[in-house]
């Protein structure tokens, strides 16, 4: 299970599911706070792998939408936190 303690994502010793939007929200929130936990490497990688490319290469807006929609798949995510993650990392190239 995942617990959010004092602005810090804490993981039980089970494998982190990087394909789970809620896990990615927690890990990206940790990254936003400056925590780069090794358990989160795959989940953060998953977030940045959600990219869209157009005729002219990397498409920041379509990438933003794709990442926002993915994080939106976590029903328990705090929308303010998702908003902060998206403001900071939403259209950043991975």
């Amino acid at each position: 299970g995942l617990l959010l303690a004092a602005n810090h994502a804490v993981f039980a010793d089970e494998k982190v599911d990087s394909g789970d939007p809620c896990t990615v929200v927690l890990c990206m929130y940790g990254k936003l706070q400056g925590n780069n936990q090794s358990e989160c490497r795959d989940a953060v990688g998953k977030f940045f792998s959600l990219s869209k490319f157009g005729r002219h290469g990397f498409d920041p807006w379509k990438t933003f939408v794709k990442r926002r929609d993915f994080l939106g798949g976590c029903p328990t995510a705090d929308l303010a936190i998702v908003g902060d993650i998206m403001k900071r990392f939403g259209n950043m190239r991975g």
Side-chain angles (χ1 to χ4, degrees):
L2 302 177
L3 306 166
L4 213 54
N7 287 345
H8 191 75
V10 180
F11 293 93
D13 47 3
E14 64 206 45
K15 177 109 178 62
V16 170
D17 177 7
S18 62
D20 173 40
C22 294
T23 301
V24 175
V25 168
L26 278 180
C27 283
M28 290 306 294
Y29 184 60
K31 187 173 172 62
L32 197 61
Q33 303 294 316
N35 303 324
N36 286 306
Q37 293 137 291
S38 57
E39 306 95 328
C40 275
R41 196 172 54 234
D42 290 348
V44 169
K46 168 71 178 178
F47 179 84
F48 285 114
S49 77
L50 298 167
S51 298
K52 287 291 220 179
F53 293 86
R55 236 185 5 254
H56 305 294
F58 183 74
D59 185 323
W61 171 244
K62 287 187 178 151
T63 294
F64 184 95
V65 170
K66 185 174 184 176
R67 290 175 180 172
R68 187 190 61 201
D69 289 351
F70 177 78
L71 295 185
C74 177
T76 56
D78 182 323
L79 292 179
I81 288 175
V82 170
D84 287 346
I85 291 167
M86 292 307 300
K87 273 201 281 284
R88 178 86 172 74
F89 301 114
N91 58 9
M92 182 187 284
R93 202 153 173 180

